Amino acid sequence: MPTPSSVLASVLRSDPARPRITFYEDTPGPTRGERIELSGKVLANWVNKAANALQDEFDLGPGATVRLDLPPHWRSIYWAMAAWSVGATVVVGGDDGDDADLLVTDDPAAAEDAPGAAVLVTLAALARRSPDASPDATAMDEARELSTYGDQFTAWDEPDEDAPALRSAGAEAAYGAVVEDRGWERGVRVHLSGGDLGRVLTAALSAWAADGSVVLTRGELDDEARSHRVATEGITLQE
């Protein structure tokens, strides 16, 4: 069965230059209007840097738990892929991740109050430091520190096929089952929207397993804007 790491490897073998994530920020705020596109190679670089941080800085591996307190976003996707690269369990939504080994959040107060280790994520694409990180903060400032980690990653250990990969909405998916074969055509380009990060993560894995890509919209679109995006982005499937 394919795993998140093997799916990423297959993307790189197939065509590392092809876009695999296209992200639109349509929520009100200073980042509204951002469009970010990541090729397979660029996605892998982000994943590897984050995985090296998880492994080297936080000593995480199989059996560890990483809670993603993040919206559906391109940064959420590479942090999930990084956690799976080290063999950890990703927890999204609800309160069942309160005892996680690491909290990854865009909420400065949550990062400051975390009972354990935390990473503070700044969602803006060009951020070089968090505007909310205090000099004596214990949480890692992702925008400032992640770039210092290497672009190549080697896991210390591999998770078992039946080890939990994702906990979301009260359900759990093992490493051997988190990549779903949905019968999508090869090269599918899937439009994802909505607030369920777990759904976004599993759909992205399925799209990549079919040698496809995802267009992720954060925010609401009216019918005209949605039709325009479908046409301009070459979307072949809407989830």
Side-chain angles (χ1 to χ4, degrees), residues 26-180:
D26 291 307
T27 57
T31 60
R32 185 170 190 170
E34 281 191 349
R35 178 186 183 276
I36 308 299
E37 192 159 81
L38 278 66
S39 67
K41 181 178 180 180
V42 172
L43 171 61
N45 283 347
W46 281 103
V47 171
N48 290 343
K49 284 180 179 294
N52 279 314
L54 295 179
Q55 191 165 260
D56 298 343
E57 181 71 22
F58 299 106
D59 198 28
L60 300 186
T65 305
V66 176
R67 181 177 185 183
L68 299 186
D69 177 32
L70 296 169
H73 196 274
W74 65 278
R75 295 195 187 277
S76 310
I77 294 176
Y78 72 70
W79 274 107
M81 293 295 292
W84 289 325
S85 295
V86 303
T89 302
V90 172
V91 179
V92 298
D95 299 322
D96 57 349
D98 287 348
D99 59 348
D101 296 288
L102 178 71
L103 172 67
V104 182
T105 181
D106 64 330
D107 182 348
E112 186 69 21
D113 296 339
V119 174
L120 177 59
V121 174
T122 304
L123 299 180
L126 300 179
R128 294 296 175 261
R129 63 178 298 276
S130 169
D132 301 303
S134 61
D136 58 347
T138 57
M140 173 187 282
D141 180 354
E142 185 221 38
R144 183 169 62 87
E145 298 182 45
L146 194 63
S147 63
T148 66
Y149 290 88
D151 294 340
Q152 303 298 317
F153 174 74
T154 301
W156 290 336
D157 202 357
E158 298 293 331
D160 294 334
E161 189 175 278
D162 58 354
L166 178 65
R167 296 211 306 264
S168 174
E172 186 172 278
Y175 269 88
V178 72
V179 181
E180 303 173 13

Side-chain angles (χ1 to χ4, degrees), residues 171-230:
E172 186 172 278
Y175 269 88
V178 72
V179 181
E180 303 173 13
D181 181 357
R182 306 189 185 194
W184 289 347
E185 64 180 10
R186 300 293 293 175
V188 65
R189 189 151 170 82
V190 186
H191 184 223
L192 304 172
S193 60
D196 188 336
L197 179 55
R199 180 182 65 86
V200 166
L201 295 176
T202 55
L205 288 173
S206 293
W208 296 334
D211 198 24
S213 59
V214 298
V215 178
L216 174 58
T217 292
R218 183 182 178 217
E220 296 297 326
L221 296 176
D222 59 29
D223 291 343
E224 182 179 356
R226 182 179 294 273
S227 296
H228 178 73
R229 187 157 300 170
V230 168

